[in-house]
Amino acid sequence: MSVLQSWLVQALFIFLITGSIGELIDPCGHISPESPVVQLGSNFTAVCVLKEDCMDYYHVNANFIVWKISHFTIPKEQYTIINKTAASVTLTDVASLNTQLICNILTFGQLEQNVYGITLISGLPPEKPKNLNCIVNEGRKMKCYWDPGRETYLETNFTLKSEWATEKFADCKTKRDTPTSCTVDYSPVYFVNMEVWVEAENALGKVTSDHINFDPVDKVKPNAPHNLSVSNSEELSSILKLTWINSNMKNVIRLKYDIQYRTKGASTWSQIPPEDTASTRSSFTVQDLKPFTEYVFRIRCMKEDGKGFWSDWSEEASGITYEDRPSKAPSFWYKIDPSHTHGYRSVQLMWKTLPPFEANGKILGYEVTLTRWKSRLQNYTVNDSKLTVNLTNDRYIATLTARNAVGRSDASVLTIPACDFQGYLAESKCYLITVTPVYADGPGSPESVKAYLKQAPPSKGPTVRTKKVGKNEAVLEWDQLPVDVQNGFIRNYTIFYRTNIGNETAVNVDSSHTEYTLSSLTSDTLYMVRMAAYTDEGGKDGPEFTFTTPKFAQGEIEAIVVPVCLAFLLTTLLGVLFCFNKRDLIKKHIWPNVPDPSKSHIAQWSPHTPPRHNFNSKDQMYSDGNFTDVSVVEIEANDKKAFPEDLKTLELFKKEKVSTEGHSSGIGGSSCMSSSRPSISSSDENESAQNTSSTVQYSTVVHSGYRHQVPSVQVFSRSESTQPLLDSEERPEDLQLVDNVDGSDGILPRQQYFKQNCSQHETSQDISHFERSNQVSSVNEEDFVRLKQQQISGISQSCGSGQMKMFQEVSAADAFGPGTEGQGERFKTAGMEAVLDEGMPKSYLPQTVRQGGYMPQ
Amino acid sequence: MLACLCTVLWHLPAVPALNRTGDPGPGPSIQKTYDLTRYLEHQLRSLAGTYLNYLGPPFNEPDFNPPRLGADTLPRATVNLEVWRSLNDKLRLTQNYEAYSHLLCYLRGLNRQAATAELRRSLAHFCTSLQGLLGSIAGVMATLGYPLPQPLPGTEPTWTPGPAHSDFLQKMDDFWLLKELQTWLWRSAKDFNRLKKKMQPPAAAVTLHLEAHGF
């Protein structure tokens, strides 16, 4: 029943539709929109509007509207009653492409009466076309193509638009069957940039691709080169020359080429390096080909700069390289007919024809030569691949060469042995037996083996010798026995070794070795070693060899000596360093300061002695007679370590000072010319003398004497009285005093010098000045000694202005040293200023001069 | 010396001739225009051959060299060498532009007269190409900042095959149009070659400058 109803409805619907189209029947209403195109997945609303007369006729209104889609009733929830005559339906997420939507009314008796129907078309809007590109096939019009994107399910029109900067071209509309490309109507103009884009449009929208701007000449696909021909060269069998005719594009653009070749029958193409064919040309010579081989070529071209497209491949062309002489001689062998007649034998020589890649051409024939021992050649020219000759029973040498149009191959050589070869094998001789298999198509690879008819013991034993001898081991080596004396296969060696007294030890060694290491030997022992070689049939001893193991292993002595030396060196170095650090202490203990009697100037400031102080003559100044002047003598005697040997040293110093005429300085290096040693001694003097009360006293005396210009008689006499006190025993209390000083230098010399200077200068300023300079020079020199004695001579000789800084440092240190004499310090400071002001340190020499100048006082 | 070199290198990006990453300058478009003149010259050679054959003898005879009669309206490409040399860029380009504007108009008239479809197609394509050349020259002028010559309304050349022209004289005009076009294309090739070379020197000068500092 329902099926029947369905049929009925359908028939009515068709009738209605045709009626609406043909306007034969006036429908009862209509649906808006009339022919909708809906985007897939979107919502769609249609409205059915009923006509008044129809409503009256059927007694219905909009509430009676029933929507059907593809014959299925749409649920009432999707309906909306707009007014009495109109109701709408909303379809959500339209998925089907073509559907029929029908508006019905439910008439009396629940009969569905069709009112109107529409076809719902759904699809997608076009996507933006991508990858737009164009190609200009030479001599044809430009074609552009693109990727249209997703399927729209709708009729979509693509329009290719193109323009110059100054002009627009006609649109290119795609044909229905080729929606992804379009060929423009005009011939492109090269060297003028154009802009091209594509528009896609359907019922749901219109979209434009990206614009591309290009010069059509950069999109050219030239015609393939044509009339490709190949020619060979008689001179060179490895080349072929290609010639072709270029496309007409060569008049417009420059071309590059791609040439491929292969041997005929091969499947893969070889490529000519692109850089060799990167410019316009109409011929090319292909090299490194095999001779007498047929090659197939093809070629294509494109714009030289790589813009555009490769042309199609040209038609293939082939050519054969010229012949070359055969690269290899044919291998050949022989067959001797066993039924030989008396004195002669029939020998058949056979060879294989060369394969084409070795023949390098058409083989025109083979040449065979046969040479009997010391006789002339016999030549044969053969076209076949075998030759039968009658030979004597002698040994023959046969050679074979193949010949083609260009030349002949190297010769292959074969020895045909003498007929009576067999039966002469000797015993204990090594034979090399070679077997060459002969197959139907030629010989195979030969195999060889060594053999003896009968073995025997070697006729000589191997000679062993040492390669290297260590303390406990020895490396022995020997040579393989020559084949002549082996008499069989050497199976193994035995090494016998013994000491003079001990037992003999035997070691077996494999025959493949030529070296063996004897271990656990005793050092410093004579060994005797010999060796035997064994074949299967017995052995033979070689000569005996003796060697002595050394007492020490290599490097053992060095291993002992080197550390000892290093340790010694280190100890010495440490000792020296220690001594250097503690040198003051050591100096005090080992070579205490000894006053130098030659420096005594006590007489200088004696009013009675001026005539003696001729400063122009240093010899006189430091002569023995001046000893009486040295008031410091007693201070030196105070040193607690003034042992007799020290005294000797002292004496030595004294003598040296005396002997260094003109260079020694009795006043502690006040002279620029003073050598270092007297300076040291004089500074040492200062050290030891600093606490001597007598000197202090003395200085006071001198000072006053100076001030008043009247030397104190008392002081003078005391000074003289110190002379005999050179012996240390006489002033034991001074030893302790010196001990307390503990090496603080710089104070006493001042006093001493001050004293001396006092005796020489009238004014206190001058005195201080001289004291200053003297002290500086002496201390300075000592400082240099401390500084690893560098530039001693330089300083003492030049005493340049460069020393200024050093003076300052030294004097400053001295000035704030642990001095006990305020007076001394004061003088020192004054002296420094004086020195700085007067620029005295610039030179010592002027001092001396000045000193001398002051002397006459 | 090194400091000097470094300074020069530092300022290199500021040298306009070398700083072409953003704006390619007139160089490439001049080169393109030059290539186009050569291409058109080549194109015209075959076109003229066909057309002169269409005109028939004596126009297609190789040694045919008629007096220039009635072709006075055609722009003349021939010019005194010294005058040509002394032309400035603007004048040179303007002359080219004006010449091709006129020639193109005459050529379109020629197109209408041509008999065979093939010849008409060739002529049409040549006209399009010549149109492209005009656009190219205009582009170069724009790049160099020169204004395009505005054709005066009265002087717009028109192809008027008046009744005064006999058929032979008409053909003579056609002959001269093609001949003049050929001469103009030759000249333009030289013009643009000259311009092309002129646009290159700045970079070379900087290189030289650098070398002088480097050594």
Side-chain angles (χ1 to χ4, degrees):
Chain A
M1 182 63 194
S2 66
V3 174
L4 182 72
Q5 194 184 353
S6 155
W7 273 107
L8 201 71
V9 168
Q10 201 154 10
L12 188 69
F13 169 71
I14 293 163
F15 175 71
L16 275 173
I17 293 294
T18 43
S20 72
I21 293 165
E23 291 192 9
L24 292 170
I25 294 169
D26 192 25
C28 213
H30 72 275
I31 298 175
S32 174
E34 187 79 36
S35 51
V37 180
V38 184
Q39 188 170 339
L40 280 170
S42 66
N43 296 343
F44 171 68
T45 301
V47 181
C48 188
V49 183
L50 299 175
K51 286 182 178 169
E52 292 283 342
D53 52 346
C54 211
M55 285 164 62
D56 293 344
Y57 181 80
Y58 290 109
H59 303 287
V60 290
N61 58 29
N63 284 314
F64 290 79
I65 289 175
V66 176
W67 291 93
K68 285 200 157 189
I69 186 165
S70 300
H71 314 306
F72 292 100
T73 307
I74 301 170
K76 290 271 185 192
E77 295 79 43
Q78 289 176 246
Y79 301 175
T80 309
I81 309 299
I82 297 166
N83 54 34
K84 202 177 81 176
T85 61
S88 71
V89 65
T90 300
L91 304 173
T92 54
D93 192 15
V94 177
S96 50
L97 298 175
N98 284 299
T99 48
Q100 269 127 27
L101 183 67
I102 299 163
C103 171
N104 299 297
I105 47 171
L106 212 58
T107 58
F108 177 75
Q110 298 295 309
L111 264 176
E112 277 182 13
Q113 179 83 48
N114 287 153
V115 175
Y116 205 82
I118 58 167
T119 300
L120 192 63
I121 298 169
S122 50
L124 292 167
E127 255 189 340
K128 183 176 168 180
K130 293 190 194 78
N131 304 329
L132 173 61
N133 200 5
C134 298
I135 181 170
V136 182
N137 285 302
E138 184 189 344
R140 286 198 255 150
K141 291 172 178 166
M142 186 174 77
K143 180 183 172 187
C144 295
Y145 49 91
W146 56 89
D147 178 0
R150 69 178 172 205
E151 170 67 60
T152 61
Y153 309 108
L154 299 173
E155 188 181 318
T156 307
N157 293 318
F158 291 92
T159 309
L160 182 75
K161 294 183 174 279
S162 52
E163 65 178 31
W164 276 345
T166 54
E167 200 164 329
K168 272 190 162 42
F169 295 104
D171 289 350
C172 178
K173 293 195 182 296
T174 55
K175 295 191 173 66
R176 193 173 282 264
D177 54 335
T178 55
T180 61
S181 69
C182 197
T183 304
V184 297
D185 212 17
Y186 52 89
S187 297
V189 176
Y190 298 135
F191 306 111
V192 182
N193 274 30
M194 65 191 308
E195 193 156 304
V196 170
W197 69 99
V198 64
E199 279 178 8
E201 186 176 16
N202 67 10
L204 290 174
K206 176 179 169 182
V207 68
T208 304
S209 73
D210 290 333
H211 290 220
I212 56 167
N213 191 303
F214 60 90
D215 181 344
V217 85
D218 292 336
K219 301 289 181 185
V220 162
K221 180 185 175 184
N223 288 336
H226 53 282
N227 288 14
L228 179 65
S229 65
V230 185
S231 59
N232 61 18
S233 154
E234 281 191 27
E235 285 77 32
L236 278 171
S237 60
S238 64
I239 64 165
L240 281 175
K241 188 180 178 186
L242 305 179
T243 51
W244 61 87
I245 296 173
N246 278 305
S247 80
N248 286 327
M249 277 310 284
K250 75 159 200 298
N251 298 315
V252 183
I253 52 172
R254 291 201 292 197
L255 298 170
K256 68 174 180 181
Y257 303 87
D258 183 13
I259 300 173
Q260 289 189 342
Y261 66 96
R262 58 182 170 143
T263 54
K264 198 180 175 100
S267 57
T268 52
W269 291 94
S270 304
Q271 180 91 31
I272 302 287
E275 57 270 23
D276 293 348
T277 54
S279 60
T280 308
R281 51 169 67 231
S282 61
S283 68
F284 186 80
T285 302
V286 185
Q287 299 174 25
D288 293 330
L289 301 174
K290 281 184 233 154
F292 200 58
T293 308
E294 183 168 5
Y295 285 91
V296 180
F297 295 88
R298 62 178 186 178
I299 185 172
R300 58 178 181 170
C301 64
M302 79 178 296
K303 195 162 174 258
E304 190 184 37
D305 58 7
K307 290 175 179 169
F309 300 86
W310 280 110
S311 73
D312 293 328
W313 285 107
S314 70
E315 286 181 1
E316 291 176 9
S318 62
I320 303 172
T321 46
Y322 201 70
E323 293 181 30
D324 196 3
R325 75 180 192 102
S327 56
K328 211 179 145 190
S331 53
F332 76 135
W333 63 103
Y334 65 89
K335 210 153 63 176
I336 299 172
D337 191 354
S339 61
H340 60 276
T341 52
H342 176 71
Y344 284 91
R345 49 184 173 155
S346 173
V347 175
Q348 188 181 36
L349 297 166
M350 290 167 288
W351 55 90
K352 212 164 71 176
T353 52
L354 285 171
F357 64 90
E358 286 171 348
N360 291 342
K362 190 172 182 292
I363 297 297
L364 301 174
Y366 299 92
E367 286 174 10
V368 180
T369 65
L370 285 164
T371 318
R372 202 167 64 174
W373 177 247
K374 285 182 179 172
S375 82
R376 64 179 188 85
L377 298 169
Q378 288 174 269
N379 285 326
Y380 302 90
T381 304
V382 193
N383 286 326
D384 204 1
S385 62
K386 59 178 184 288
L387 171 71
T388 307
V389 284
N390 269 335
L391 300 177
T392 61
N393 287 334
D394 298 316
R395 182 166 167 264
Y396 281 86
I397 306 282
T399 65
L400 173 71
T401 56
R403 181 172 58 84
N404 65 12
V406 177
R408 59 194 66 209
S409 69
D410 294 332
S412 55
V413 181
L414 185 69
T415 306
I416 301 167
C419 191
D420 50 0
F421 172 68
Q422 58 268 50
Y424 275 102
L425 295 179
E427 286 185 3
S428 66
K429 287 279 177 212
C430 187
Y431 289 96
L432 185 72
I433 302 167
T434 304
V435 177
T436 309
V438 178
Y439 303 113
D441 60 343
S445 59
E447 290 281 335
S448 298
V449 68
K450 283 181 182 174
Y452 286 88
L453 193 64
K454 190 174 186 305
Q455 293 189 48
S459 42
K460 260 173 75 182
T463 307
V464 70
R465 58 187 180 274
T466 54
K467 190 181 180 186
K468 203 176 116 190
V469 180
K471 188 180 168 189
N472 297 115
E473 59 173 29
V475 181
L476 303 177
E477 65 169 1
W478 59 92
D479 297 323
Q480 295 274 20
L481 285 176
V483 178
D484 291 346
V485 301
Q486 279 182 9
N487 296 343
F489 298 111
I490 301 295
R491 299 302 181 191
N492 65 345
Y493 297 107
T494 307
I495 298 168
F496 304 95
Y497 66 99
R498 60 186 171 86
T499 60
N500 256 342
I501 43 161
N503 288 333
E504 192 168 70
T505 314
V507 185
N508 279 331
V509 184
D510 192 82
S511 63
S512 60
H513 294 175
T514 57
E515 205 176 288
Y516 186 78
T517 305
L518 297 177
S519 51
S520 33
L521 302 179
T522 322
S523 64
D524 196 22
T525 312
L526 182 74
Y527 278 93
M528 276 160 270
V529 62
R530 69 194 156 82
M531 208 171 162
Y534 292 91
T535 65
D536 291 339
E537 296 299 315
K540 173 82 178 174
D541 283 355
E544 200 162 69
F545 182 83
T546 57
F547 64 92
T548 311
T549 50
K551 200 164 191 172
F552 298 101
Q554 199 178 4
E556 204 170 87
I557 294 166
E558 290 90 329
I560 296 165
V561 169
V562 170
V564 166
C565 289
L566 282 175
F568 178 75
L569 212 70
L570 204 70
T571 317
T572 315
L573 206 71
L574 285 172
V576 168
L577 273 173
F578 177 78
C579 291
F580 192 73
N581 277 337
K582 301 282 179 188
R583 67 193 180 286
D584 293 337
L585 204 70
I586 292 164
K587 191 196 290 170
K588 215 176 296 160
H589 285 266
I590 298 174
W591 57 89
N593 288 330
V594 178
D596 187 354
S598 68
K599 288 191 208 166
S600 304
H601 291 283
I602 197 151
Q604 282 182 9
W605 41 270
S606 164
H608 305 292
T609 51
R612 290 168 64 187
H613 297 277
N614 183 2
F615 274 71
N616 294 330
S617 163
K618 282 179 181 172
D619 300 18
Q620 281 187 354
M621 184 178 168
Y622 305 120
S623 63
D624 286 345
N626 286 350
F627 281 154
T628 50
D629 299 339
V630 181
S631 58
V632 201
V633 165
E634 50 189 307
I635 300 153
E636 297 307 322
N638 291 342
D639 199 311
K640 73 173 179 182
K641 291 223 167 166
F643 297 122
E645 58 261 40
D646 295 331
L647 282 174
K648 278 177 199 164
T649 327
L650 203 75
E651 286 292 322
L652 264 169
F653 272 98
K654 203 197 298 177
K655 278 173 185 166
E656 269 183 48
K657 270 188 190 176
V658 173
S659 65
T660 53
E661 295 177 347
H663 293 286
S664 66
S665 170
I667 51 172
S670 68
S671 164
C672 183
M673 309 285 276
S674 63
S675 67
S676 60
R677 208 200 293 228
S679 305
I680 292 164
S681 71
S682 60
S683 65
D684 290 343
E685 276 180 327
N686 307 341
E687 231 175 52
S688 53
Q690 82 177 320
N691 281 355
T692 326
S693 57
S694 62
T695 30
V696 175
Q697 274 181 356
Y698 202 39
S699 75
T700 319
V701 172
V702 170
H703 195 256
S704 61
Y706 236 27
R707 289 266 167 88
H708 307 294
Q709 297 293 318
V710 180
S712 162
V713 179
Q714 181 194 351
V715 171
F716 200 4
S717 63
R718 186 180 168 186
S719 172
E720 281 185 314
S721 71
T722 60
Q723 268 252 302
L725 297 178
L726 271 167
D727 292 336
S728 57
E729 294 90 7
E730 291 202 22
R731 298 294 292 260
E733 69 276 14
D734 284 333
L735 292 174
Q736 291 164 351
L737 278 167
V738 172
D739 212 21
N740 295 335
V741 171
D742 206 21
S744 63
D745 41 10
I747 303 299
L748 279 183
R750 223 174 290 141
Q751 294 165 349
Q752 179 195 358
Y753 298 148
F754 170 61
K755 243 184 307 177
Q756 292 170 352
N757 292 335
C758 273
S759 68
Q760 293 163 7
H761 308 294
E762 286 188 358
T763 64
S764 62
Q765 281 177 350
D766 283 336
I767 289 163
S768 65
H769 163 248
F770 268 94
E771 167 242 319
R772 160 83 203 127
S773 60
N774 291 344
Q775 175 219 342
V776 162
S777 67
S778 64
V779 171
N780 205 18
E781 278 172 311
E782 191 175 50
D783 218 42
F784 289 155
V785 173
R786 204 180 297 147
L787 293 165
K788 297 180 186 175
Q789 297 175 334
Q790 54 187 352
Q791 293 177 325
I792 285 170
S793 59
I795 283 166
S796 60
Q797 286 170 14
S798 70
C799 305
S801 57
Q803 285 173 291
M804 185 69 162
K805 192 185 164 204
M806 221 170 282
F807 293 158
Q808 287 173 354
E809 283 170 359
V810 170
S811 50
D814 291 343
F816 299 107
T820 50
E821 296 292 323
Q823 187 188 16
E825 271 186 52
R826 230 183 298 126
F827 273 117
K828 193 212 154 295
T829 319
M832 186 171 85
E833 286 161 4
V835 165
L836 291 176
D837 291 341
E838 293 172 26
M840 284 307 289
K842 282 176 185 171
S843 171
Y844 279 99
L845 213 52
Q847 283 179 15
T848 322
V849 173
R850 259 182 94 169
Q851 194 181 19
Y854 277 98
M855 282 313 136
Q857 55 155 313
Chain B
M1 179 67 87
L2 193 72
C4 208
L5 186 69
C6 288
T7 317
V8 170
L9 282 173
W10 180 254
H11 287 291
L12 267 188
V15 177
L18 291 178
N19 192 15
R20 283 179 180 168
T21 46
D23 174 27
S29 59
I30 289 172
Q31 173 66 48
K32 225 175 240 302
T33 314
Y34 169 78
D35 288 339
L36 182 55
T37 55
R38 299 295 306 276
Y39 169 54
L40 283 172
E41 193 190 314
H42 172 254
Q43 218 177 316
L44 181 64
R45 218 174 297 154
S46 63
L47 174 69
T50 318
Y51 196 83
L52 293 181
N53 276 337
Y54 157 71
L55 292 181
F59 298 101
N60 60 349
E61 286 164 8
D63 53 352
F64 179 63
N65 192 14
R68 194 182 159 105
L69 291 173
D72 293 334
T73 49
L74 288 174
R76 276 174 182 273
T78 44
V79 69
N80 181 283
L81 186 64
E82 285 308 312
V83 174
W84 180 78
R85 275 189 186 143
S86 61
L87 286 175
N88 62 27
D89 295 349
K90 186 183 172 185
L91 201 57
R92 194 183 296 279
L93 286 164
T94 307
Q95 282 187 2
N96 269 278
Y97 187 83
E98 283 173 344
Y100 288 112
S101 305
H102 288 98
L103 289 167
L104 187 61
C105 281
Y106 293 127
L107 202 65
R108 282 185 176 142
L110 204 68
N111 191 9
R112 283 195 290 273
Q113 293 176 336
T116 66
E118 176 60 37
L119 194 56
R120 270 204 296 276
R121 237 193 324 274
S122 295
L123 276 167
H125 183 234
F126 190 77
C127 280
T128 315
S129 302
L130 213 57
Q131 181 74 45
L133 178 61
L134 261 180
S136 244
I137 297 171
V140 172
M141 290 177 80
T143 318
L144 293 172
Y146 304 141
L148 280 186
Q150 292 299 320
L152 294 171
T155 59
E156 183 69 27
T158 47
W159 188 260
T160 47
H165 279 71
S166 70
D167 186 48
F168 184 80
L169 287 177
Q170 185 70 62
K171 285 181 176 179
M172 188 78 102
D173 282 349
D174 293 356
F175 177 87
W176 272 107
L177 172 60
L178 293 174
K179 197 174 167 76
E180 201 59 65
L181 200 53
Q182 187 86 68
T183 325
W184 262 108
L185 286 169
W186 285 337
R187 177 181 159 175
S188 295
K190 285 185 176 295
D191 279 329
F192 285 98
N193 196 36
R194 198 177 172 85
L195 277 172
K196 190 173 75 178
K197 283 178 181 162
K198 215 172 159 184
M199 294 301 155
Q200 284 165 352
V206 171
T207 314
L208 256 165
H209 187 58
L210 270 177
E211 279 171 2
H213 277 277
F215 293 98

